[in-house]
């Protein structure tokens, strides 16, 4: 059986709960725009917005001071009114808006410097810190493995239907064409992922699974390869049977019928959000069947500002005019 987490998005309101100033944060990961922390408090109450249960099942997503970034309140407004309603709630990572004391942000910025000095922060992320003027943060369901027998599979499905501006005789999808243009590297084809055909989905999933056992994973089979085969079957089975891929494909088709060389109406920006979201699949390796929880995250608002409109048009023109869509996939 396939399981999904039950999720809710609380509406934006003025009185979002304020994170206690003595909250302990542990750096987990970061992307270009946000840093993700685990939460802990020795004095957490047994109920309320920051109860010990809430703290142990959620992560906090704090925004970095990027000049192009939107304030979290505006982003939350967008996700709760526009992006989340596009999806069945069972597919979404539960997300709440909370307020953060400035002292917490300042303290964590000092810690980031220490992490850098210790070599515990990726070099490419050095020099960019948390936005201390930001009043809000996102409290998100933690999709990490909770036991040594769970695995988190994280991926961006990207353009799961062909770009409407691609040439009629295209032999590559938009994502494969762009990958070829960027670095010629190998990767999964999103059209395989959304094909509904087991063999094609398996081919794509192969690229998404960890090559080594994840940290803390408990091997029950002789080798990771054997575990990986089991993991692959679970993920393929989920993608064949869940509404995830048909939903993504349906949205991308409906929201952007013209592609980046078209008029770029409102739906286009939402389509770009859907084309850049992240999927978290938490897989229970010992579930007799299924055991996959799905959470869609990173549904950030896209804007034409800051050169993005030109980037999208130029990228598409470059792919079309450079013949990247027509090059053979082999
Ligand atoms: O242009 P793409 O398709 O490479 O997607 C960009 C992503 O690259 P990748 O997923 O690695 O291929 C890119 O991801 P990374 O920074 O490479 O992790 C961003 O998500 C970017 O969006 P934004 O400018 O931050 O709003 C993404 O830009 P857009 O989705 O706005 O095009
Ligand atoms: N709900 C979650 N559960 C588990 N891990 C998560 C969760 N949200 C984020 N992460 C981890 O933190 C990383 C960075 O988070 P996120 O993608 O939100 O950052 P970002 O800065 O918005 O990324 P981008 O580079 O796409 O802008 C993710 O790649 C993932 O490994």
């Amino acid at each position: 059986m396939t399981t999904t987490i039950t999720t809710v998005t609380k509406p934006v309101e003025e009185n979002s709960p304020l994170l206690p100033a003595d909250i302990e944060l542990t750096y987990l990961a970061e992307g270009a725009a946000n840093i993700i922390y685990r939460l802990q408090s020795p004095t957490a109450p047994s109920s309320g917005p920051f109860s010990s249960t809430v703290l142990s099942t959620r992560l906090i997503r704090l925004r970095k001071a990027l000049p192009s970034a939107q304030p979290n309140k505006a982003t939350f407004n967008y996700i709760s009114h526009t992006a989340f309603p596009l999806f069945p709630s069972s597919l979404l990572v539960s997300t709440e808006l909370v307020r953060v004391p400035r002292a917490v942000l300042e303290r964590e910025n000092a810690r980031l410097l220490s992490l850098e000095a210790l070599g515990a922060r990726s070099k490419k992320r050095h020099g960019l810190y948390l936005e201390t003027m930001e009043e809000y943060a996102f409290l998100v369901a933690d999709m990490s493995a909770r036991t040594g027998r769970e695995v988190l599979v994280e991926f961006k499905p990207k353009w799961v239907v062909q770009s409407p501006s691609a040439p009629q005789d295209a032999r590559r999808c938009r994502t494969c064409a762009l990958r070829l243009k960027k670095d010629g590297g190998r990767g999964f084809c999103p059209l395989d992922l959304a094909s509904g055909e087991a063999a094609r989905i398996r081919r794509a999933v192969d690229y998404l699974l960890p090559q080594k056992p994840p940290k803390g994973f408990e091997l029950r089979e002789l080798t990771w390869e054997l575990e990986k085969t089991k993991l692959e079957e679970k993920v393929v089975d989920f993608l064949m049977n869940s509404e995830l891929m048909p939903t993504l494909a349906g949205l991308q088709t409906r929201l952007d019928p013209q592609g980046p060389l078209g008029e770029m109406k409102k739906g286009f920006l939402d389509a770009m959000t859907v084309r850049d979201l992240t999927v978290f699949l938490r897989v229970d390796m010992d579930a007799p069947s299924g055991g996959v929880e799905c959470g869609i995250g990173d549904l950030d608002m896209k804007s034409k500002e800051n050169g993005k409109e030109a980037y999208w048009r130029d990228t598409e023109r470059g792919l079309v005019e450079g013949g990247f869509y027509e090059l053979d996939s082999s």
Side-chain angles (χ1 to χ4, degrees), residues 28-36 59 61 93 125 140-144 152 154 156 276 278 280 298 300:
L28 175 67
E30 68 183 288
N34 297 281
I35 310 188
I36 312 293
L59 301 171
R61 185 183 194 231
V93 169
R125 304 295 185 197
V140 296
D142 185 359
M143 296 297 293
S144 318
L152 175 62
E154 176 186 341
K156 285 187 185 185
D276 200 33
T278 299
F280 298 98
D298 242 348
D300 295 334

Side-chain angles (χ1 to χ4, degrees), residues 56-96:
S56 63
T57 55
R58 306 286 200 282
L59 301 171
I60 192 138
R61 185 183 194 231
L62 301 177
R63 179 168 80 79
K64 295 191 211 176
L66 268 180
S68 57
Q70 295 278 337
N72 276 335
K73 195 168 177 185
T75 305
F76 191 78
N77 229 331
Y78 174 76
I79 66 168
S80 53
H81 289 111
T82 304
F84 272 33
L86 296 172
F87 298 90
S89 62
S90 60
L91 293 179
L92 295 165
V93 169
S94 156
T95 304
E96 272 173 66

Side-chain angles (χ1 to χ4, degrees), residues 144-158:
S144 318
R146 293 162 299 188
T147 70
R149 294 296 295 161
E150 286 185 340
V151 179
L152 175 62
V153 178
E154 176 186 341
F155 60 99
K156 285 187 185 185
K158 302 299 293 189

Side-chain angles (χ1 to χ4, degrees), residues 205-250:
V205 166
D206 224 32
Y207 285 98
L208 308 178
L209 305 183
Q211 291 310 306
K212 311 183 289 200
K215 202 167 157 231
F217 183 77
E218 290 166 19
L219 275 186
R220 295 264 161 86
E221 303 289 347
L222 272 180
T223 63
W224 171 245
E225 279 310 306
L226 289 170
E227 296 278 13
K228 197 147 77 82
T229 306
K230 211 158 108 185
L231 175 62
E232 183 174 272
E233 279 323 299
K234 283 182 177 293
V235 173
V236 170
D237 186 57
F238 174 82
L239 293 173
M240 293 276 295
N241 295 300
S242 140
E243 52 195 330
L244 174 67
M245 296 315 298
T247 302
L248 294 178

Side-chain angles (χ1 to χ4, degrees), residues 7 23 40 112 122 172 181 198 208 214 234 245 255 330:
T7 52
I23 194 83
Q40 223 183 343
L112 286 172
S122 159
R172 279 174 187 267
K181 181 167 182 260
L208 308 178
K234 283 182 177 293
M245 296 315 298
L255 292 168
S330 52

